[in-house]
Amino acid sequence: MPERTPAVLAFWAAYRDACGIGHDRYDVVAHGHTPEIADALAALILAGRKRATASLDRDYGPGKAPRPAPGDHVLVVDGSGQPVCIWQTTEVAVGPFGGVTEDFAWVEGEGDRSRRTWLENHWDFFGWQAARDGFVLTEQEPVVFERFRVVWPTPDA
């Protein structure tokens, strides 16, 4: 997970102060596993095309981060760690990797937005994670399907 650098802290403070939020509970996220992927996915969020993300459920729980929940805030950074935007989670569902829907793939906004492309792209990423963490990825692997709305710097229309 990216660090709370001075730039990240200032970005959050500007949002918190402008919106009257009285807490500092937020995660900092760079999408993907390379700076190039983080830049590309951040650009999709800023363009309004990407309004969902997915992660493995095994990444959450005791001794780990809590599973995302509606109302949570996430500060997105690009591949160089610079703040890009803040989203607020609107919906979370857990289901099998292979159970992703056409609708979710479309809202996640990557590639041609099809379920087929979503499965290919996420098989690559989650497969990388499986190799790194020493588990076997299957179509039954529990995945957290998260939808969000951008709240800073410009709210969704």
Side-chain angles (χ1 to χ4, degrees):
M1 186 170 290
E3 295 182 27
R4 291 189 180 193
T5 63
V8 165
L9 292 169
F11 198 81
W12 174 261
Y15 168 67
R16 183 193 61 215
D17 295 347
C19 297
I21 292 177
H23 66 80
D24 288 322
R25 291 183 310 276
Y26 63 96
D27 290 323
V28 181
V29 171
H31 290 284
H33 57 295
T34 69
E36 296 78 18
I37 294 172
D39 287 345
L41 296 180
L44 289 176
I45 294 169
L46 289 178
R49 180 175 164 133
K50 181 175 178 62
R51 291 296 181 261
T53 192
S55 55
L56 296 179
D57 193 45
R58 67 174 53 238
D59 293 340
Y60 309 106
K64 301 176 184 177
R67 183 185 293 148
D72 286 355
H73 287 91
V74 174
L75 191 151
V76 179
V77 296
D78 64 16
S80 64
Q82 293 303 304
V84 172
C85 65
I86 297 170
W87 85 49
Q88 189 168 34
T89 302
T90 59
E91 181 183 326
V92 176
V94 179
F97 173 81
V100 66
T101 64
E102 286 285 351
D103 175 65
F104 187 86
W106 181 263
V107 174
E108 190 160 351
E110 299 173 23
D112 66 4
R113 302 176 93 168
S114 71
R115 181 178 182 276
R116 178 187 51 77
T117 298
W118 188 97
L119 286 166
E120 290 170 2
N121 289 347
H122 287 78
W123 189 266
D124 287 345
F125 177 70
F126 293 150
W128 168 84
Q129 189 175 347
R132 181 195 68 190
D133 296 346
F135 66 92
V136 176
L137 180 66
T138 71
E139 292 223 356
Q140 297 308 309
E141 182 71 33
V143 170
V144 176
F145 299 101
E146 179 178 3
R147 295 175 187 248
F148 58 83
R149 66 185 182 96
V150 174
V151 295
W152 188 259
T154 305
D156 287 340

